[in-house]
Amino acid sequence: MQTRPTLGFAQLWNISFGFFGIQIGFALQNANASRIFQSLGTPIDQLGLMWIAAPLTGLLVQPLIGHYSDRTWGRLGRRRPYFLVGAILCTCALFFMPNSPSILAAAITLWILDASLNVSMEPFRAFVGDMLAPKQRPAGYAFQTWFIGAGAVVASIAPYVLENVFGVSNTAPAGQVPDAVRYGFYFGGVMLLIAVLWTVLTVREYSPAEMAAFGEETAEADDAAPMVVPTRGALWIVGGAVVAGLIAWAEAAGALESGREAYFVAAGIALYGVAQLVSAALVRAGRGDNVLSHIIGDLATMPDTMRRLALVQFFTWGALIIMWVYTTPVIAQQVWGTVDPASDGYNQAGSWVGVLFAIYSGVAAVAAFALPLLARRIGAGRTHMLCLAVGAAAYIGIYLTHDRLGMIVPMVGIGIVWASVLTMPYVLLANALPQRKLGVYMGIFNFFIVLPQLIVATVMGGVIKTWFPTQPAYTMLVAAAVMALAAVAMLRVREPSAA
């Protein structure tokens, strides 16, 4: 049996350079989507609802792309066709979103943008596993994290540079998006396409014959195996009904002013139960060779390490989405003393948030190569747990800080945890998964990134409106508590060995 060759610096660079462009699009979305929505007239308590399309899209798209990319081979290879199609769609969405004529148009464009980012991003995680031997994967994911950090720096700081270096206007009449934001999106769209094209054109993927020589089974080998018959569909449907009942009770008791968005979560739980029942019926009827039954079966039989990491990811990304959605209004109030989206102070806060996000992304780019050194001493699991604790402290720091420059300190902590989030779980995961299912399992792992985002998007607006409608800073304390739970959950994760 052959082993994958050890790749050099230039090859590692080429494999992950496309992620530089993808992260530019992702960071522009994170730093500016709320600002665009509020510029078009969206109230702060409805911001989470505007973001609901993004996690829903990831929930559906990533496992599908993972499943099909495991089974794809053509002129462009296995993963690269998805990189290219996603990049083209992303570029179109980035050009249109800051020119959206209405809130509805902006929400639809955000959905298209997030779907396209998912089409490109999901195969990149599996791409490292395809191209690198297990001992080189920490270096491969470190390169990805470095490019993620570098791309986020470029994207986050773009509106600030356009305003302060090139004199582009950072304010606009009510209902319009400032030119600095629009031009930043145009720049990001071009850079995203160029970066992804670089990876597509400079990397040759291993052929199915070469993968077989490495001792890797193909995904098609699983198609002949007995299909898993789901048995808990009815329980999930009941669970959805119970959650809906709790939401209705909270509304009636006055604990939640409006739970209309939260019903999306209840519906999602019930729909997963329906999907299990449909899959079970298809398998029993001898028609189990379909994408739904494969994904439901893989979800039910995922490895123990992945199952334990899923809980960590759930809490981690819940905290992160709170930061991305609410940092601009929090800093506008904490530092500039305003919550008016049309005010000059609010727009200054929006640009400063871009700089702060660039700072934490820059810290993450540096930490990406430092954290593997720490992981060699204390293990990837303990390293990740320590970084999650740093992240929880950083959110408390944002809540306590009222100084513009002082906000840089907690952002250093955010950068450290962000580097770990993008590296350590994937090092742990890639060494615990069967190679033949790397794509679909990376997609399924995204469930536990997307579900907390969906919950935050549907519930947080009601929580703010009910408990602290004029104090968005309290969202950072919620984020701190959730990130601390993620650190505690890491105690259950066993570290697989890298062969």
Side-chain angles (χ1 to χ4, degrees):
M1 185 178 67
Q2 300 178 20
T3 58
R4 289 175 178 80
T6 299
L7 303 185
F9 180 90
Q11 293 164 305
L12 292 172
W13 175 287
N14 292 340
I15 286 170
S16 292
F17 187 67
F19 230 125
F20 173 71
I22 292 171
Q23 188 58 29
I24 288 177
F26 190 57
L28 282 168
Q29 171 187 290
N30 287 341
N32 296 284
S34 291
R35 184 179 181 184
I36 290 172
F37 284 129
Q38 288 202 286
S39 296
L40 294 172
T42 306
I44 186 173
D45 59 284
Q46 294 183 20
L47 280 180
L49 183 59
M50 294 298 101
W51 282 72
I52 194 171
L56 276 174
T57 302
L59 193 66
L60 297 172
V61 170
Q62 290 223 17
L64 287 173
I65 295 299
H67 173 84
Y68 285 115
S69 72
D70 282 342
R71 291 162 167 76
T72 293
W73 184 259
R75 291 181 62 186
L76 285 177
R78 189 183 194 187
R79 315 290 183 186
R80 288 179 296 162
Y82 299 93
F83 302 163
L84 183 58
V85 171
I88 293 170
L89 294 174
C90 281
T91 297
C92 294
L94 286 168
F95 271 74
F96 182 79
M97 187 168 183
N99 296 299
S100 300
S102 66
I103 295 172
L104 177 60
I108 292 172
T109 308
L110 178 63
W111 171 72
I112 295 171
L113 175 60
D114 201 80
S116 306
L117 287 168
N118 277 292
V119 168
S120 285
M121 181 171 59
E122 194 284 331
F124 260 105
R125 294 297 189 190
F127 197 43
V128 170
D130 291 343
M131 301 301 297
L132 300 178
K135 289 183 178 180
Q136 264 205 303
R137 286 171 184 166
Y141 286 115
F143 263 84
Q144 274 197 0
T145 302
W146 190 89
F147 279 122
I148 289 170
V153 169
V154 171
S156 298
I157 205 170
Y160 185 87
V161 171
L162 286 168
E163 177 194 4
N164 292 279
V165 177
F166 296 100
V168 179
S169 175
N170 189 44
T171 58
Q176 296 183 28
V177 175
D179 285 346
V181 175
R182 289 196 300 113
Y183 294 159
F185 271 61
Y186 301 159
F187 168 76
V190 172
M191 290 299 298
L192 186 150
L193 187 58
I194 291 172
V196 172
L197 280 172
W198 180 282
T199 290
V200 169
L201 297 174
T202 61
V203 178
R204 185 190 70 82
E205 295 185 67
Y206 296 122
S207 69
E210 288 173 311
M211 294 295 283
F214 299 147
E216 307 291 358
E217 294 183 17
T218 62
E220 288 81 357
D222 292 323
D223 296 344
M227 296 296 298
V228 175
V229 180
T231 59
R232 298 181 179 178
L235 290 177
W236 282 95
I237 294 172
V238 171
V242 169
V243 171
L246 290 173
I247 295 167
W249 173 83
E251 287 181 307
L256 192 63
E257 184 172 325
S258 174
R260 66 185 185 279
E261 297 95 344
Y263 286 111
F264 280 104
V265 177
I269 294 170
L271 283 173
Y272 177 62
V274 172
Q276 286 208 4
L277 292 178
V278 171
S279 175
L282 290 170
V283 172
R284 291 191 183 103
R287 296 159 54 196
D289 189 13
N290 60 82
V291 65
L292 174 66
S293 296
H294 278 290
I295 291 175
I296 292 292
D298 290 336
L299 183 60
T301 58
M302 59 184 174
D304 184 65
T305 297
M306 179 176 171
R307 195 180 302 276
R308 293 170 187 261
L309 274 172
L311 184 62
V312 178
Q313 291 291 86
F314 180 86
F315 290 129
T316 300
W317 283 83
L320 289 170
I321 193 66
I322 290 172
M323 178 188 71
W324 289 328
V325 174
Y326 297 107
T327 296
T328 296
V330 167
I331 290 181
Q333 184 182 57
Q334 292 283 89
V335 178
W336 275 270
T338 181
V339 292
D340 179 9
S343 67
D344 181 64
Y346 190 95
N347 281 285
Q348 288 186 49
S351 291
W352 187 240
V353 166
V355 174
L356 293 175
F357 280 17
I359 289 170
Y360 91 66
S361 299
V363 171
V366 174
F369 292 102
L371 291 179
L373 299 177
L374 179 62
R376 287 196 198 108
R377 289 181 171 272
I378 66 173
R382 290 181 180 177
T383 297
H384 192 48
M385 182 172 62
L386 177 62
C387 291
L388 291 170
V390 170
Y395 287 129
I396 294 174
I398 294 174
Y399 171 77
L400 295 174
T401 303
H402 296 269
D403 177 69
R404 179 171 175 266
L405 294 176
M407 286 289 179
I408 294 174
V409 176
M411 286 298 154
V412 172
I414 299 296
I416 292 171
V417 71
W418 184 231
S420 188
V421 166
L422 295 175
T423 306
M424 295 304 156
Y426 296 98
V427 171
L428 293 166
L429 194 62
N431 292 331
L433 296 179
Q435 180 70 35
R436 67 186 183 278
K437 291 188 175 184
L438 198 54
V440 69
Y441 271 135
M442 287 292 185
I444 289 173
F445 195 52
N446 188 62
F447 283 174
F448 308 102
I449 294 173
V450 167
L451 285 173
Q453 295 181 56
L454 180 59
I455 291 171
V456 169
T458 55
V459 173
M460 201 65 189
V463 171
I464 292 173
K465 197 169 185 178
T466 302
W467 297 101
F468 39 88
T470 61
Q471 296 293 329
Y474 285 117
T475 59
M476 294 298 109
L477 292 183
V478 176
V482 175
M483 189 68 85
L485 288 173
V488 172
M490 273 303 299
L491 292 170
R492 299 178 62 248
V493 178
R494 298 191 186 99
E495 190 163 344
S497 60

